[in-house]
Structures are given as structure tokens and as C-alpha cells.
Amino acid sequence: MTVPAARQPNVVGLTKADYGGRPSTLCKGCGHNAVANQIVQVAFELGLRPNEIVKLSGIGCSSKSPAYFLGMSHGFNALHGRMPSIATGALSANHKLRALGVSGDGDTGSIGLGQFKHLLRRNVRMVYLVENNGVYGLTKGQFSPTAEDGLKLKYAGTNPFPPVEICAEALVSGCGFVARGFAGDAKQLRELLKAALSHRGTAVIDIISPCVAFNNEDDSQKSYAYGRSNEVPLEDIGWVPPQDDIVIDDHEPGETRVIELHDGSRMALTKVEAGYDPSDRGVALTRLQQAEARGEILTGLLYFDDQRPSLSEAVGLGQTPLAEMSDERLRPSREALERVLDRY
Amino acid sequence: MTVPAARQPNVVGLTKADYGGRPSTLCKGCGHNAVANQIVQVAFELGLRPNEIVKLSGIGCSSKSPAYFLGMSHGFNALHGRMPSIATGALSANHKLRALGVSGDGDTGSIGLGQFKHLLRRNVRMVYLVENNGVYGLTKGQFSPTAEDGLKLKYAGTNPFPPVEICAEALVSGCGFVARGFAGDAKQLRELLKAALSHRGTAVIDIISPCVAFNNEDDSQKSYAYGRSNEVPLEDIGWVPPQDDIVIDDHEPGETRVIELHDGSRMALTKVEAGYDPSDRGVALTRLQQAEARGEILTGLLYFDDQRPSLSEAVGLGQTPLAEMSDERLRPSREALERVLDRY
Amino acid sequence: MADPLSTSRAATRTEGRRVSDFSIVVATANGTGSQTANLTLLRAIFQMGVPVHGKNVFPSNIQGLPTWFHIRASAEGWVARQAPEIAVAYNPATLHEDVAALPSGGVLILNDDLRGAPERDDVITYRVPVKELMEDATAKGKLKDYLANMTYLGVVTQLLGVSLDEVHAALENQFAGRRKLVDANYPIVEKAWRWSESTLQKRDPFTIEPMSATDGLILVTGNDAAGLGSVFGGASFVAWYPITPSTSLVDALKSHLVDLRTDEDGTPSWTVIQAEDELAAIGMVLGAGWAGARAVTATSGPGISLMAEFTGLGYFAEIPAVVWDVQRVGPSTGLPTRTGQGDVGFAYTLGHGDGKHPVFLPGSVEECFEFGWRAFDVAEQAQTPVFVLTDLDLGMNTWMAQRFAYPDEPMRRGKVLRGDQIPDDFGRYRDVDGDGIAPRTLPGDPNPRSAWFARGTGHDDAAVYSERPEDWQANTDRLARKFDTIRGLMPAPVVDAIEDAKIGVICMGSTQYAIHEARARLAEAGQHVSLLRLRGLPIGEAVRAFISEHERTVVVEMNRDGQLCGILRAELPDLAARIHSVAHLDGLPYAADQIEAWLAPHLVATGELVAEEVV
Amino acid sequence: MADPLSTSRAATRTEGRRVSDFSIVVATANGTGSQTANLTLLRAIFQMGVPVHGKNVFPSNIQGLPTWFHIRASAEGWVARQAPEIAVAYNPATLHEDVAALPSGGVLILNDDLRGAPERDDVITYRVPVKELMEDATAKGKLKDYLANMTYLGVVTQLLGVSLDEVHAALENQFAGRRKLVDANYPIVEKAWRWSESTLQKRDPFTIEPMSATDGLILVTGNDAAGLGSVFGGASFVAWYPITPSTSLVDALKSHLVDLRTDEDGTPSWTVIQAEDELAAIGMVLGAGWAGARAVTATSGPGISLMAEFTGLGYFAEIPAVVWDVQRVGPSTGLPTRTGQGDVGFAYTLGHGDGKHPVFLPGSVEECFEFGWRAFDVAEQAQTPVFVLTDLDLGMNTWMAQRFAYPDEPMRRGKVLRGDQIPDDFGRYRDVDGDGIAPRTLPGDPNPRSAWFARGTGHDDAAVYSERPEDWQANTDRLARKFDTIRGLMPAPVVDAIEDAKIGVICMGSTQYAIHEARARLAEAGQHVSLLRLRGLPIGEAVRAFISEHERTVVVEMNRDGQLCGILRAELPDLAARIHSVAHLDGLPYAADQIEAWLAPHLVATGELVAEEVV
Ligand SMILES: Cc1ncc(C[n+]2csc(CCOP(=O)(O)OP(=O)(O)O)c2C)c(N)n1
Ligand SMILES: Cc1ncc(C[n+]2csc(CCOP(=O)(O)OP(=O)(O)O)c2C)c(N)n1
Ligand code: SF4
Ligand code: SF4
Ligand SMILES: [Mg+2]
Ligand SMILES: [Mg+2]
């Protein structure tokens, strides 16, 4: 596919700007902004029709971001952890729509874990993005359930619990598209987004998306948690200096890259090798475990299987979405009523 | 350990009858009754002190059963799907207590999935039994999320969704004791219960516990679902004939046994082999997958690891439970207050 | 344990014959399948043209615990609960209490295989040799126990003078004509009926005589009616989580959808999803409503609690939804198989912060059907979650009803703008008509102007996030205006104002039947009481008028705290002093004599009754 | 976007000097860390003995959006919101509005690096060369921007006549004496102060002069006070889920626990768990309460909705629990960083079915502390969930307060039977004392008789499952009796009844400050209005008496629907006609002039004001 230049209209006659949204109110340098930008780019490149897309989210900094892309698409900023049920209803009412859902690690892994898992069981056709930063951004830095065991954060202290592994959760729940990306790896993210948008059911992408405000390891020299406690009053977590985006643009398949976060802490990202076969759920689970054991984070398309019907297929919906059915089709006839009453 | 005779007092001077509860109001032949009986037997054999145990449950037929054992122990029949949070609070308030929790597959796998998974992350010290029958018993036979994909039930129709695998869920949530039993295999169940009761954190036992009233495969000749539709008015799901317990008492390790349920449908139970090493989470997951692929249900102790501290250990509680602390210890002194106020 | 509905111990009227005016209780154990026999008995009486009603008093359990089925036949058409004069005792576990509960002069039909029935020489006893009657029944084993229920059906019908033909017809109807089933059951009924005819000699005054009072009527449960009404309301998306007593509503709804809303090629014009819990169920319904479908869920008390947060979102983001609450006894898990009206206060203002919701209050199975489709119209016209509060008694018991009337107006889909209808200055929450209801657009609309971002956070009238105080206040004031518009959309109360009556009673829902009967009795005694049956909230002018016209208004409701009374007092402060509360909840439907007793003090207060007369 | 609190455009009083009586607003962007400078300014004024109060108006966002900090100095001690006469404009994004909002005669302290400030020749402007002042600051990069806030601190203090020593002391206090921090900041303050002294020439009338009005007082937020009070109430188990504006309550609670409740060997006498959501948080708290711990959770609106089902269980199973609701603006997600009182109606009857809960209504930081420990006593004495409703304004803003009084009575643990105290006929729900409160036992008790099975389902007085109507009614009637006992346990209202005043105002919580100021102004104009500040629900006799003594009662509350007013009308029907509602919610704390305006029509109605006077 040839990628149109931003100012040129794409196949559906829209420019990149047409896929933009309102100005972001997220922190400068927040990974979530980078993701939003890639969504705009991908939608533009694929020539998606904004009216065929709905944007969904829960509550959190991440969940705010749908306001910052696809301004010509309808959207629903739901409740904390409850995007999945809204998505299930909306996609049932109109299964012609494509849903692009943005959630956070707290929104999905904590309050929303149950709905997330049941959404996957039903295989609702949508792209489900988890912008994963290991913290609660909007409520100022508490641990999210995806924070590593033993992680020390200035605000939150030490985390004594094992992390919720979004990809593993998706795998055991029978999800047919499980991937992980990194907000700073635009190329990979775009590829994953494009593949996800064409998936038959629920496509989950767990996106490592660093929080520049609160994901600050206590003992890291460069963290401004450190800075705060030594030069800046600790109480003043009100101070959040703008940061630059973390970007890696040459991460090769099979390669492990160590990236440095704003606080100076490091994170090892391993991209699945070129020949990786994503068709075996068991292998995917094992690879995740191995990476975890090595303290690495595995990225790429980890599992793919589109055999399972989506929800609307499973319930046998036809061409016309429920939401577009005529009143005649929705309300049976007088005679039909009489027939039923005759049985009573 | 020598097993005392029922009428003889055990090490703590109690007879088996002392561990009994109120008469069961569950259906005759319900697997849940068999489980309750084994709990009584095990508590008696181990010589547990009733006052050191609390019985917890959610809502459902299964969750009723704590009323039918250990009548001298305190208990809390909580809300549907919410036993885990009650357990977390209760065991935090008094970490000297041992908790025996009974839930159902709907209670745990559906409404309670989120709380279940977060309980496991925190590793609250308790035995967590899921009496798994694939249906909602108390609400008369709807599918539970553990029902197999494609299962046809007279009342509920055909299930289009993949099952929630309780053991796999426990494994990915970092649970250190994951086992599966069968209500009809008393010997194995007692062994698992005894091991679970001495575990450091949360011990999960997924117990296959057939529902004689509603787990009736549509097309099985012997099912009374079949009977109903042909001889008995279907509307009358009010008819639930008493059944005998299904019992297998000679199931050897490594062996696969096909059992016949009351409706004539069959179920293949495979017991992990004698030499099985339960110390590898990855292996446990793989074995579960393999069994599933063969249409078998793996039973036995699938995974064991007691390295992780329990919640009360993680938060560093001392000898005295919070609930037993003196008012003096709970309310700081006048001077302490003045000291704080001086800072304001 | 004793049958809670058989409470009266007063001697029953036996002089002369008691034609088509008495109550029967059938005592069996849960899971024995006696429902078929009971419903057949009910229907046989109905077929004879005699007004009849059945109440099932069952435990929250599947097998073995006692259950009682009550049938009241009333030539005058009363259907409220009444202590039975005839008891069918087939449950060993409650034998003693069931016999003891009979009034002297009552009738006992006893399974003779049961031992230890207490002697009651003031009661007429007929002993049924069940084993014997079952001897040559073809069926074997467990099925035999099940069929044994047919023996009392045969005996009771014979004793009451119901012909075998009637019983056979009723059985056929009950089995929807499925031969095999009829053939398996009927022989036993017949044998018992003939045995009774030949052996028993009638010593009691109770009989059924043919009438034509049920001509053109149907027998149906409220939940079935509600499900059917929803289908005729165009329900296309249903998400729910099982809970007694709402489960049978969704079961009925689904089977009617399968029956009436499936195309020739088998394509459904609907989707029903069993959600993982009630939070998800209401979330799915709101998602579907936002996307343009007519979406409904049904639940009971605990589910309403779990729907609180999402209801607030639906209210604030202005999304249509219909929520049925088949009320059981609360608080908490309470009594899942008993009836009550305890959710009205909670549902009306469900959710934190400000907000009120339209509440339909059906009082009959006809209204369960009617509100089944009307609720969608109000939900879409007002773009808000709408509650329909029924109860277990209305929902799960079998009632006589007029054949349901086909919707008398087209579906009202509310203000939805499509394509070119969408103005350049479209703002999702702009009150262009001044009625507080702004036009909405739906996802999928090709017009780029159509897009808006639904949210539970503060927004301006273009749905853009805003923390500006004036935006918040303008928006919530508009929502208050909208609620006034909604007043006009709710069904008017049913008023029976008696010329210069001093007392007016206000009620809602299924309690009306006991109240009608009590009012008739009072009227005979010369005490006239007006009645206003509320059919929806918010209230309209009619309620104010009614209360103003009476010296004293008594709000009768089936909860402990007098919730509806509190709502009326709060909304009509100038009249509050005249508004009194009669609130009782023990899980049982009201009986007329309870109402009489509760109204007595008020009649005394208004001087219509002298204290002495109050027993 | 404009600062919502700077609404008045009336010219400000400039004749003569304005000594210690004016408001300042500091406009910056969120995330720039201006809080330190603002709190230091606040404290410096406080140290000079001048009554002062600060309100932070911030967005629901982490970085970049506008935020305004208001400081009101008032020699008379008024702390209600008042439109500022002095504006510090450091935020380019709101520069225009911030300047425009100033009253004529007002003062503008402008970051001179910002371009495009509108000309206001009716405003006194001082330009601060921030870059220049920061030039030789040691810190580099981003930290420099952060420290830049210190420049306005220096200039403002100098202009107001606050000595450098005071500022330094305030800074030390703010940094809890941490040298490094003081040394990093103070030089910049000093430089700016001296620059101001040497270059600016004072042209405005606003000054601070030393007083002794704050002697012995402290400066603290309501959430901090609540956390501290809870610790002195013996809180030992805390489960919560983060949500603004309750998060800082739990943060404070936890840090006080670490500080005051950790043994020498480091063993905590407490556990704090961050739950996965609010359903789990309240569940954990109930589990801990059942097992005998003093357990508490804190949340805000959405969390209250999610706690509905569990609250009903706590009410029905009778388990002590304390729930703090730091109210923000609802319904739904609403305005997370704005203040309101919209949960009172919902929390009071939270849960489906019948049921009412004790609600504490703290109106000051002192009461946040006091109710912090008292709530546990009531929860354990009444064995029920207790709510404490505060709000964002009280909870997150900084208030002057008396030093908190140490609890004047020992911990009341309620009726708990242990070991041999447990009678042979122990029944968990047996009302032995007739006050509706039955003694409980705790898990772990060695006495075998101690065991009982807690449940949300119907039960007899021995906690055994029961569906019997009489058991249900007896139990729920007892719960109603218990609620009457609770009336006696709640704090009495604070009443200021004015001799033959025709109007009585009833309020709750933090709105009292604006009301006090308004009443003082009215009193000057000869219009006397009584005040009753409710401190808890259910109400007691004092409320009835107060309303009876006044021709007209006006219930002032910060929500749209007049929720408290509705409760009072419903519970006092005979007085309801006299109870009027003043309900306003836009997210901002009330100002005295708003109260005056809202009361005016009522003063007219009672003839104390002639219509013409009302503007
Ligand atoms: C029911 C409910 N509880 C709590 C909150 C407060 N809250 C808002 S966002 C959030 C956490 C967001 O974390 P995450 O999903 O990781 O998003 P992030 O901000 O990190 O992108 C919480 C707890 C809420 N809005 N609703
Ligand atoms: C909030 C809530 N929703 C629904 C119900 C109704 N309900 C009671 S038990 C049950 C399902 C029980 O299924 P399971 O946990 O598998 O237990 P089983 O009866 O099969 O042993 C449901 C849905 C309830 N009690 N509470
Ligand atoms: S707080 Fe963290 S997650 Fe939120 S916007 Fe800022 S950087 Fe992003
Ligand atoms: S319905 Fe099923 S689960 Fe419930 S008691 Fe009967 S057999 Fe057991
Ligand atoms: Mg996050
Ligand atoms: Mg089950």
C-alpha cells in the first residue's frame, strides 16, 4: 500500500488533518500522545471512513485520548473499567461499525479486569488498546496492577504484588489477536494497529506507554522523584515538567533494546523474531514467561487466530444492523399478537 | 497420620458430628453435598479447632453449603461474586484465622472473576473452593462461564463462548496452589483439602461438582431434559427428581476415567501421574491445554509454590491480629496528637 | 414450617353451599413438579367461566423445601390473597402445620400414604390412596412420583364438580397439545377422578358452578406479558444477568423474540446476551441505546444496586434504556422468592449526585404488556434510562386478563437527526425546542457533523468537555426542565374519586387487588374511600388534585419505610401534612382484611368509624 | 478559559487603605508546581496573625491546564469565597481573562515575559521581570521554571508589607525544615522581594498588618484532619480505591498511621490496601469489620454508587464500617475537581430495598478530625455502615482551625460478647436490651456458642436462614428501632436561634462560612436570620423545634435537587409546608453575596424586605 502524503487527500478524499481531534490535554511527553498520533496516521493511511468508526474508552488519562483523534467519529467515554460492556452493546446494535477502544492498565487490569475478560470470551469485533504505564496517571501515581513486583515508586512505595500480564490474560481468555507494542516505536505500532483493525474479533494491543509524571523509580538518579525529594518539596507532586517523547525507530525483529525512561530507569524490549509463528497459544504463553524470567518485555504480534466467530457472527445477525431496522420489522403485526394471545 | 473413628473424639476432643452443620437444602445427589461431607471429614481428621476457622461464600447453591458444615465456626455468606473482598478484609483483621471459602463457577467465573483474580494477586491465606458444575444452579440452569464451548443444554440452548478455565486463571494470576478435584472422588478431594489447608497463601481447588437438576445435555438419551421434552412438560423445570451421588473411589494417578453424569452425558477425568512435578507453572499451563485438546479434564495438584508471602506477611503484620489489639495500642497518646499539631 | 399464606384461623362460613367462592392451598415439596397439576386445576376452573387466580409460594431452593400453591376462585372476581378453606396435603414435611392451619369447617385432601396427620374433627377430611391409584400407571421410577401429583388433581376436581372433560381440556392446554405428555398424565387424573366419584361422599359445601365471567379473558403471568410487550415495543437488544424473580421475564422475552422476530431465513432481528453481571448488563444496554437500538434489561433488587453508576451515566449522557425491576424482598439478598415494593425510592433517584428517572408502575398484567412497549417510547423520547417496577406477585403468578390491546400508536423514536437533517450548528445538548430535550445523532451517520463524544464528565452543549460553572449549571438545569417534560409522557394515574369521601388512598402496582376488595367491603359498611393508583413517576397534577380533595390521604405500599409516601411529601410539601403512610412488608401479597385493619385508624381519625368498631 | 472564582466585576473599594481585608488570585498552569509558592504566601499571612484561607481551583488534568489559587485575608475572619482584587498573572493561556476579570481599582502582578496582556488603565499593574530575576539562579533546566514561581512570592509579599523574615519562616515550615529545599528556593524569593522594594513603587491600598487573630490556630486541610481523626479513632484496616478528591484523605491517613501507629520494631498496628475497585474496597472493610477491626474506606460519588449493594449487606447483616465520601460534582463522573453536596440523599438510603444509614456532616476541619474518630464509635455501637459526607472544598483546601481536641471519651466498641460472656441462648440478632441493637460475637472466639453465620438473606434472631414472614418483619422492625437509637448517637446540630427571627436557615457542611458572612451582613441591615447547621442524619428533636419556631425555614444546600430539603419534608410532614429549598450547584464554593441574593425572596415573603430592595 502506498502511503499518501499528509497534505494530500487519501483514498476516501480526506487529509491527515481530517483525522485529528481536539488538542491534547495530556502531559508533554506522555506515551499516550504518541499512540494517538499513530492512530491518526494509520486511519489516514488506511483511508478509514470516520463515520464507520466509533471511539470508546473508560476513565483515565489514556481514556481521555479518544478526544484527541478522529474528531469526525462518534465516541463514548464510558465509566472507569466499563468500556467493554459499552462496546458489546454498541457493536451489537450496529455490527457494521468498527470500534477503536483505548483503555489504561488500571482501567483494564484493575476495576475492569472482569469486563475485559468477558469481552474477550464474546470476541466482540474491536481493537482494544491498553496504554500501559504501570501507574494510575490521572489520580496521581498509585500503582496499577501491571506494575512489576517489587517496584519502588516515590509516591506509591514498594509494590508487593505480581503484575497482571495483559497479554497472558488475553491469551487464556481465548483472544484471537494478542500483541504488544511500545508507544515510542511508531513503525511497529502502526503495523500492529493496521493488522488489528482488520481482525475478525477482539484484537488486543498492550502498549507500553510511559507516564512522564509518575512512573518514577525511587532510587533512579535521574528520576525527578529523586530530584523532588532532594531539591523540590515532596508534597509538591503538583510539579510535572514537560518531557520529550521517548522514540526508538530502528528496533529490529528478534533484537532486545534497552530504553531509558524519563526517570532514567531502564526497560528491556525484545521484539519477536522475524520467523516467529504466532499461531500457537501455548508457545505464546511460554515465550511471555521466558521473557518475564529474563526481565524483558516481549513485543510484536504474539498470537493470531481468526477461526472463532465474532459475537455478531455467533448470534447470527444478518446484513441490517439492529439499530437500522425499520419499525415494521421491529414491531410484529396485530395478527401475530392475536396468535400469541390465543395460546394463553 | 492415623484417622480417628467418627464416633471417637479426635486430637482436639471433638467427634465428627461436632464438625457437622445444618441439614442440607441442596438437591439429593448434588455434588456440592459430597464436597461438604469431605470438608467435615477432613476437618475432623485434621483435628481443626472450629473457632480458628471461618467459612466464607458468595451466592449460589454452592455458596449455601457452608451452612451445612462446621456449625461451630463463624461464617459469612457474602454477596454474589464478592467473597474475595470479604475474605481479604476478614483475614487482614485477624490473620490468625484460617478461611475456607466455597464459591461456584458462576460466582467465581462470571460476576466474581475480577475479585477472584485480585485475591490471588494478594495471596490472601485461604482455601478457595470452586464447586464447578458449568451452570447456574440456584437460578435454574443458565450457562455458567465454565460451560464448554458448543455445549447444548435443554434450558440454556447452545453455548457459543469458550470456557473460563479456573485453573488457568489461577495460574496466570500467580496463585501458588492450583488443583482440580471431582466431587465424586472423595479420597483425592480429602488429600487436596488437607494440602490446601496448610498452604501459605491462597489455595485454589476447582472441584467438578455435577448439578443433577440442570446440567442436562440436550441430546443425551438418559437426560431428563430429554425425558422432560418427551414425557414431562418442559415448562416444568420445577421437577427435580432426587439422584444418587456419583462416586469413583479407585481412580489411580495417571489414569483417565470416563464418568457418566446423571443425564447420561460423559466426562473424561485424567489424574496427573504419580511422578508429576507441580513446581513449574509453564508445564501446568501446557498440561491443561493438552488435556483440553484431548477433551479431558485434568485433576490433581497441578501447581505448587509457597515462595510468595501471603498478604498478612507482605504487609508485615506481627503476632497480634488487628482485631485483637488493645484500645491503648489503637489510639495514640495526647502527646502524640500535640506533636502532630505542632507541625501544622 | 407453616404456609405463610394460610394465616386465618377464624371458622369459615359453612352454612349453605359455597359456590365458586373459596381458596385452595396445595402443599407439596419443591422440585416434585406439582406445578403442572396446580396450573391445570387453575385453568379448569377458569375454563368454567369462574374468576380465578393462583399464587405460588415457593422457597429459594431447587428441591425438597416446602412450597404452597394457592388458588382462589371468586364469582365476584376477587383475586387478592385469602386464607384457604381447602388444603391438599401432599408434603410430609409440613403436614402438621398445613392441617393445623385450616379453619374449622375447612376441607382436607390428604395423601393417605403420609403418616402422622393431626386429628381435626372440625375439618372434613378426604384420604387419597396415592400409591394405590398409581399402581398400574405405566411410567416407572422417579417419573412416577412426578405423575403422582395428578391424583389430587383428579380428586379435587371431582369434589368441586369439575367435569373430566374440563380437566382434559385444561391438561391439553397446559401441555400445549403435546400428545405424549397428555397421554402420560391424563389416565392418572381420570383414575383418581373416578375413584373419588365412586368412593368419596361429598360432605363439604364447596363447589364450582359454570359461569361466563372469564369469557374472552386470558391467563398469563406478568413477566410473560412484560416480555411480550417488550417485543411489540420493538426490543432488539437484551442484556441481562439471571436473578429471581426477573429471570422468567427474560425467558419469555427471548422465546417471543424467537417466535415473532425471526425472519424466514432464520435471521434474528434481535440479540439477547447473558452478561457476566448487572454492571455489564446495563452497560451493554446503554451501549446499544447510544448506537440506536431499543435496548432493555431486567433484574431485581441487587441488580438495581449494581446498576447505580451506569444509570447515572445514562442520565447524564442522555442515553435511552429500559430497566425492568421485578421487585423481591430487600434489603440485600433478602427473600429472593417473596414479593415487595421496596425499590421505588432507590430507583427513582438511582445514582450519586442529582438525578431522577422516569418510573413506570404497572398494576396488572395488561399494564405489564402495555408498559412493555410504552417504556421504549418514553426512553427514546426523553433520551434517558427508564425504570419499570413490577414485583414477584405480579410477575411470576398467573392472572386473568383482558386480551392485550395492540399498541394504539406508532413507535415514538424521539428526536433523532440523520444525514442532511443535521444542522451546521448541531450541538448534541442544545435545547433547540425549549423542552429540555436536544436532538441526538447516531454513530454510523455519514454526515461528518453528526459526530459527538458521549461522556459522563461535564460538557458544554456541543458535548465538549467543560469545567466551566455556567456550562455545568446550564446543562443540569436543562435536565431538570427535561424531567418536567417527562411528567407529560408518563401514564396518568387511575382515579376512583368517591363523592365527598374524606379519605383517599394512593397505591401502586399489585397491591391494588387487596385494596379494591377492602374498599368494597368498607363501602358495604357505608365507609367510602377514594382511590388513586399511581402508574408512574414523576407525578402529575392529578395527584395534587386528589390529595387536595381529601381530608386525609393514605399511601399504601409494600415496603417498611413508606418510600412512595416520602416522595409525595417531598414533592408536595404544602400538602404533606395530610399525607399518611401505611407501609408493611413481610414478603406476602396483601389480603383485603389487612387493608381494612390498616385503614381503620384513619377512618376513626376522620370520624367515619368509632374506635370501638375497630377490632 | 476564565477563573471561575473571579466573577465579580463591581469596582472594588479603594478609598483609603485596605488593611488585611482582600482576596488574591494566583493564575498559573497545572503541573508548574506553583503550590509551594501559594501555600508559603498563605502561611506568611497566617504567621502575621491575620485570618486567611486558601482555595485551589484546579482542573481534572495533570499538566498544562489553567489553575487558580485564591487567598483571602480577612481581619474579621471571613473565609468564604470572594472575588479577588489582586491577580498574579503567570499563565499565558489565561492571561486575557485573568486581567479582564479584575475589578476596576484592582491590582495586577504580571509576569513581564508574557505578551499580550490587555490594557486596563483602571487597574494598578506591577510588571515582574521573571527571566531577569531568575538569571543567576543556580538551578538549571526544568527546575528553573519550577523555581520561577518564587518570584511572585517575593514581589507580592513585599508589596503587601510582609517581611522577608516572615516569608523565610513560612518557607521553612512549608519545607518542614528541609535545608536543601529552603536554600534552593529562598534566594529567589529574596531577590524578587528586594527588587520589588527597590524598583516598584506602591500605588495600591492593599496591605497586611500584624494581628494576633491566629494565635494558637493551625492551618490544615479537611482530608488531613479526617485522616488524623481516623487514626485517633483507632482505624486499623483501610481499603480504598483512588479517586479525586478523596485520595489525599487516604494519603494523610496512611502517613499518620506510619508516623503514629508503628511499633519500635517497625510492626504496623494497621493495614492499608489499595483495592481493585470500590466494590472490593467496601467488601474488604465489611470483612474486616465483621472480624472485629475498626475499618474505614474513603471515596467520592462514583465509588458510592459502586458501594450500594455491599452497603445494603452491611446494613442488613449489621456490620460496622466507616465510609468517607469527599463529595465532588455529580451525577456521573461529573466534575472531579469541583465541590458539591450532591450525595446526601443517595447515601442516606443507599442500597435497594428499605434501609437508612447514619450520616455525619462535618462542617469544619475540626469536625473532620472529631468525626474521624466518632464515626467508628457510632459504627461499632450501632453495628452498621456509617457515612461521613465532606466535600472537596473542605477536604482539599487549607483552613485555619483550633488545635484539635483529643477524644474526650474512651473508644466505644459497642456490644461485643467474648468467651464466657456469651449466654447459652445467644442469638446474634436477639434484641435483649430493647434498643434494637443485639450483642455480637467475633470470629476466633474460643466459646463454641459464639458462632453465627452472617448473611444478606432473611434470617431469624439466631442468624439462621428463614423465609418466615414473621421473622422478616420482626427483624426489619428491630432495624427500624435501632435507627431510632442511632438518633441519640449522632452529633446535635449547631443552632444559633435569633430572638423572634421569622426565617431560620438550615445548612450542612462547608457552606456555613458563606452563610455566616451573609447573616452578618443581613444583621447589619437589621434582618435577622436564625441558623441551624445539621451535623448528622437521622435528625433529632432539635430540628423539629427549630423549624416550628420559625415562620419559614430555608434549607440551603449545594446540589440541584434540594436533597436535604426533601429528607426534612418527608420526615417532618406536618412542618413540610414551612420548609423551603435553596439549592445551587455549579462546582464553586458559595460566596456571601450569593446567599444574600438567594435569601432575599424569602425575606420579602416574610415582610422583612420590600421587593424593591432586592437587586
Ligand atoms: C468508579 C471510579 N473509581 C475511581 C475513579 C478515579 N480514577 C480516574 S482514572 C483512574 C485510574 C486510571 O489509571 P489508568 O487506567 O492506568 O489510566 P492512566 O491515567 O494511567 O492512563 C482512577 C482510579 C473513577 N473515575 N471512577
Ligand atoms: C448481584 C446478584 N445477581 C444475581 C443474583 C442471582 N443469582 C443467585 S445464585 C446465581 C448463580 C449461581 O451460580 P453458581 O455460582 O455457579 O452456583 P451454583 O448454584 O451453580 O452452585 C445468580 C445469578 C444474585 N444473587 N445477586
Ligand atoms: S499523568 Fe502520566 S499518564 Fe497522565 S497525561 Fe501525564 S504523563 Fe500521561
Ligand atoms: S440445582 Fe444443581 S447445584 Fe443446585 S442444589 Fe440442585 S443439583 Fe446442586
Ligand atoms: Mg496507567
Ligand atoms: Mg454453578
Side-chain angles (χ1 to χ4, degrees), chain B residues 32 59-62 80 104-107 111 133 135-139, chain C residues 241-243 278 302 306 328, chain D residues 309:
Chain B
H32 304 350
I59 298 283
C61 293
S62 34
H80 192 30
D105 43 330
D107 195 63
I111 189 171
N133 54 16
V135 296
Y136 288 179
L138 194 51
T139 50
Chain C
Y241 189 66
I243 185 166
E278 292 84 351
L306 290 176
R328 64 191 212 183
Chain D
E309 190 192 13

Side-chain angles (χ1 to χ4, degrees), chain B residues 25-28 59 61 64 78-80 82 106-107 110-112 136-140 142-144 155-156 161 212-214 226-236 238-244, chain C residues 30-37 58 60-65 139 142-147 174-176 178 180-181 184-185 240-244 247 251 254 273-279 306 332-333:
Chain B
T25 62
L26 303 179
C27 299
K28 188 149 175 347
I59 298 283
C61 293
K64 284 181 175 187
L79 296 176
H80 192 30
R82 314 300 178 195
D107 195 63
S110 188
I111 189 171
Y136 288 179
L138 194 51
T139 50
K140 306 201 163 199
Q142 299 84 7
F143 283 116
S144 92
Y155 170 87
F161 305 119
V212 304
F214 302 111
Y226 176 87
R228 285 205 190 96
S229 55
N230 291 272
E231 311 170 41
V232 187
L234 179 59
E235 306 82 280
D236 202 344
W239 181 52
V240 184
Q243 301 277 358
D244 300 330
Chain C
N30 205 17
T32 54
S34 51
Q35 199 73 330
T36 310
F58 59 104
S60 178
N61 140 290
I62 305 300
Q63 179 202 83
L65 289 185
K142 294 173 173 139
L143 195 53
K144 203 156 174 173
D145 311 342
Y146 168 77
L147 294 172
Q174 184 62 25
F175 289 149
R178 289 204 295 292
K180 268 184 147 182
L181 301 176
N185 288 271
W240 69 300
Y241 189 66
I243 185 166
T244 308
T247 300
D251 290 345
K254 186 169 179 179
I273 295 180
Q274 181 183 313
E276 59 269 35
D277 60 21
E278 292 84 351
L279 289 94
L306 290 176
S332 199
T333 309

Side-chain angles (χ1 to χ4, degrees), chain D residues 508-568:
Chain D
M508 59 180 164
S510 62
T511 57
Q512 69 163 316
Y513 299 107
I515 294 171
H516 291 318
E517 189 173 356
R519 286 177 72 220
R521 293 193 200 164
L522 289 170
E524 278 173 22
Q527 292 134 11
H528 295 285
V529 174
S530 299
L531 179 66
L532 179 147
R533 179 168 64 87
L534 205 59
R535 302 198 301 165
L537 291 170
I539 60 169
E541 270 312 303
V543 178
R544 164 176 291 284
F546 181 83
I547 297 172
S548 323
E549 286 157 11
H550 294 88
E551 180 179 323
R552 158 180 295 244
T553 293
V554 181
V555 182
V556 177
E557 58 194 304
M558 196 176 278
N559 53 55
R560 186 199 63 187
D561 294 341
Q563 301 172 10
L564 178 60
C565 179
I567 291 170
L568 297 179

Side-chain angles (χ1 to χ4, degrees), chain D residues 426-505:
Chain D
F426 171 69
R428 167 64 182 96
Y429 298 110
R430 204 158 292 155
D431 187 6
V432 283
D433 307 328
D435 59 1
I437 303 172
R440 62 177 181 141
T441 55
L442 300 178
D445 192 293
N447 186 335
R449 286 195 303 270
S450 136
W452 56 281
F453 198 37
R455 53 171 77 252
T457 40
H459 50 70
D460 62 19
D461 67 4
V464 175
Y465 181 76
S466 168
E467 293 175 352
R468 296 170 62 235
E470 50 276 37
D471 284 338
W472 179 269
Q473 201 156 10
N475 186 53
T476 48
D477 288 351
R478 177 183 55 80
L479 285 170
R481 276 204 305 284
K482 174 161 106 172
F483 203 64
D484 275 326
T485 304
I486 291 171
R487 282 179 207 283
L489 300 176
M490 301 305 293
V494 177
V495 182
D496 175 13
I498 307 293
E499 189 72 46
D500 54 48
K502 291 184 177 156
I503 292 184
V505 166

Side-chain angles (χ1 to χ4, degrees), chain C residues 8-29:
Chain C
S8 136
R9 294 289 290 101
T12 185
R13 187 161 55 72
T14 46
E15 65 286 355
R17 296 169 62 232
R18 290 284 298 280
V19 180
S20 306
D21 175 23
F22 51 83
S23 293
I24 307 175
V25 61
V26 178
T28 58

